[in-house]
Amino acid sequence: MQTRGAPVEELPLPPIITEDPLPAPPEENLELIRQQITSYLTERNDRLKQREELREQNLNAEKSRLNAEQQQAAMTRLDSSIKRIPPFIKRLRTVTEQQRDALCRDMQTLNLTRYISEVATALTEAKLKMSDVWTSVQICSLLHQRYPDFSLSLYENWLKVLQKETLNENLSKVRVDLRLFAELITVHVLPINQSINHLITILTTLINNDKDFSNLTILISFCRLCGEDYAEIFSNKIRKLIIKLDENIDDSNKSTFHSNELKQQIRQMLNDYFQKLSIYLIDEYKQLQKQDQLMKRTMENRGEINQEIKDKYEQTNTAFQKLLQNTETMADLLEQTMPELPVEG
């Protein structure tokens, strides 16, 4: 008798494994890019317009100067009392944006003819914040428009304050003073030729006497705030965004305050500085790598690392990261390529 075998149990089919498609790369936020570009160009155009208008006012004042007799007659109607003028000069040593309107009002009522030297000294010795520089430029412009001898007196005081021999004594003040001096040249308050020559001297000193690149932040500040006027600087990041957006954005409005020859000269100085900075960055990175390797070997051999060695490494690493960040900023401003750091191993 033929027997039927036990039914074969069917094994469940293995689950079908489907690979999830790779997520699509996020689309560029074109609106955000557009906003970044618009913000940069608007601020840039406003800045150029602001300087063009003030420069024009200063030039017009130079062309329409009163003669000595007319100037004296105009000044006699103003207040020259000893009670008001010294306090006014004292306030110039602590100029802030909030004080601007009050200072300008007082200036309109005072006769400062006999105090121009003291006024110039106060303005150049003032310890300003960067945000107060434009207020000082406006005040200096008003003084220049009213007093024919103010420009030369101010320049002579700058020669005492911005001396190449003493630049390293107070770097934070030099950073602000350099911008103020450059702005005063641009808006035509200072004697142009002498002042430009002195500016070149100061920049040359800052660049050439900077073995440890302690002047880097001063030069970054100069590039950011005065770089377009003096070196045709335009953010590389923004330029790339304009190319990426590809919408025929007009960025042709350029600073024309200074000659192309001057811009090329200063730009070349800054480019040369960046090349030296790149070499320094690589050297500092190698030193950091050596410290890192030393710590690893010490850990392998002893199982612990001395706190002093740890602290030294942290200090070196912090300093390097700051240097790296500043170098990246300088590279963007000058449209230069960042140096490649050597790979360990």
Side-chain angles (χ1 to χ4, degrees):
M1 182 177 177
Q2 193 175 12
T3 60
R4 184 178 295 178
V8 178
E9 183 180 354
E10 292 186 4
L11 295 174
L13 293 173
I16 299 174
I17 300 175
T18 59
E19 292 187 4
D20 292 332
L22 292 174
E27 291 186 9
E28 293 279 5
N29 190 334
L30 297 182
E31 184 56 35
L32 180 60
I33 292 176
R34 196 175 290 113
Q35 288 175 7
Q36 286 180 288
I37 295 171
T38 301
S39 176
Y40 179 86
L41 293 180
T42 299
E43 184 178 336
R44 173 175 176 257
N45 291 337
D46 288 347
R47 179 189 170 281
L48 289 174
K49 183 180 178 182
Q50 192 180 44
R51 280 147 187 78
E52 284 169 359
E53 290 176 351
L54 191 54
R55 179 185 173 94
E56 192 66 26
Q57 291 170 18
N58 289 329
L59 287 169
N60 287 338
E62 291 174 15
K63 294 173 185 175
S64 57
R65 292 279 188 208
L66 301 175
N67 61 39
E69 186 177 338
Q70 292 170 327
Q71 178 78 8
Q72 185 176 2
M75 290 296 108
T76 54
R77 296 193 293 268
L78 301 177
D79 189 347
S80 56
S81 66
I82 198 71
K83 290 183 179 180
R84 290 194 61 197
I85 290 180
F88 174 80
I89 294 174
K90 185 177 180 180
R91 285 159 61 202
L92 292 178
R93 293 182 177 275
T94 55
V95 169
T96 64
E97 188 177 1
Q98 290 74 24
Q99 291 178 300
R100 178 182 56 200
D101 292 343
L103 285 169
C104 291
R105 281 196 304 270
D106 288 350
M107 201 186 308
Q108 299 297 331
T109 64
L110 295 175
N111 178 3
L112 300 169
T113 304
R114 292 189 296 172
Y115 300 91
I116 288 301
S117 178
E118 289 88 342
V119 167
T121 299
L123 287 164
T124 52
E125 292 182 354
K127 295 180 180 179
L128 302 176
K129 293 180 180 178
M130 195 63 81
S131 57
D132 299 321
V133 166
W134 188 246
T135 295
S136 185
V137 172
Q138 291 173 308
I139 289 171
C140 288
S141 293
L142 289 175
L143 288 162
H144 172 59
Q145 292 164 23
R146 174 166 286 192
Y147 301 98
D149 53 343
F150 174 72
S151 175
L152 185 57
S153 181
L154 187 65
Y155 170 70
E156 289 171 347
N157 274 276
W158 274 122
L159 293 183
K160 299 173 187 176
V161 172
L162 281 176
Q163 293 184 3
K164 62 181 183 179
E165 296 81 9
T166 59
L167 289 176
N168 291 329
E169 292 180 3
N170 190 343
L171 294 180
S172 60
K173 187 174 189 306
V174 170
R175 186 171 66 91
V176 177
D177 284 351
L178 181 65
R179 183 204 166 186
L180 176 54
F181 185 69
E183 295 277 22
L184 289 170
I185 299 172
T186 295
V187 299
H188 224 278
V189 167
L190 295 172
I192 297 300
N193 292 334
Q194 304 99 299
S195 300
I196 285 177
N197 288 339
H198 191 61
L199 177 66
I200 293 293
T201 298
I202 296 303
L203 286 173
T204 301
T205 303
L206 289 170
I207 287 171
N208 291 346
N209 300 344
D210 196 21
K211 293 181 180 179
D212 61 353
F213 291 87
S214 56
N215 298 334
L216 178 55
T217 55
I218 296 176
L219 294 168
I220 286 175
S221 177
F222 177 79
C223 289
R224 272 181 171 159
L225 300 168
C226 303
E228 183 168 5
D229 295 335
Y230 286 93
E232 287 194 341
I233 284 174
F234 189 99
S235 170
N236 192 33
K237 176 184 175 183
I238 297 297
R239 196 182 298 282
K240 288 179 178 178
L241 290 178
I242 290 174
I243 293 171
K244 181 178 290 186
L245 196 59
D246 191 23
E247 291 185 357
N248 295 321
I249 291 175
D250 182 13
D251 62 341
S252 60
N253 187 20
K254 294 183 178 180
S255 170
T256 57
F257 301 124
H258 303 294
S259 69
N260 289 332
E261 290 78 12
L262 176 65
K263 292 178 186 177
Q264 290 168 8
Q265 180 184 359
I266 294 178
R267 182 62 176 253
Q268 189 59 54
M269 290 166 62
L270 293 168
N271 285 343
D272 292 344
Y273 179 82
F274 180 80
Q275 297 309 315
K276 294 176 183 176
L277 172 62
S278 298
I279 295 171
Y280 181 76
L281 179 73
I282 292 172
D283 289 343
E284 290 298 295
Y285 181 71
K286 289 178 179 178
Q287 292 300 319
L288 182 65
Q289 292 294 89
K290 285 181 181 179
Q291 285 193 35
D292 183 57
Q293 291 165 8
L294 175 62
M295 287 179 63
K296 288 178 180 177
R297 287 197 301 270
T298 303
M299 191 66 185
E300 290 171 359
N301 296 334
R302 300 183 182 178
E304 62 178 359
I305 301 173
N306 183 287
Q307 187 61 43
E308 185 178 343
I309 295 176
K310 285 183 181 179
D311 292 343
K312 185 178 179 181
Y313 176 80
E314 286 302 320
Q315 290 173 3
T316 305
N317 186 45
T318 300
F320 175 78
Q321 294 303 325
K322 185 176 180 181
L323 176 66
L324 177 63
Q325 183 179 10
N326 285 334
T327 305
E328 289 171 342
T329 300
M330 199 69 164
D332 176 64
L333 289 166
L334 297 176
E335 300 182 71
Q336 294 284 335
T337 303
M338 277 292 291
E340 290 188 14
L341 299 178
V343 179
E344 182 183 3

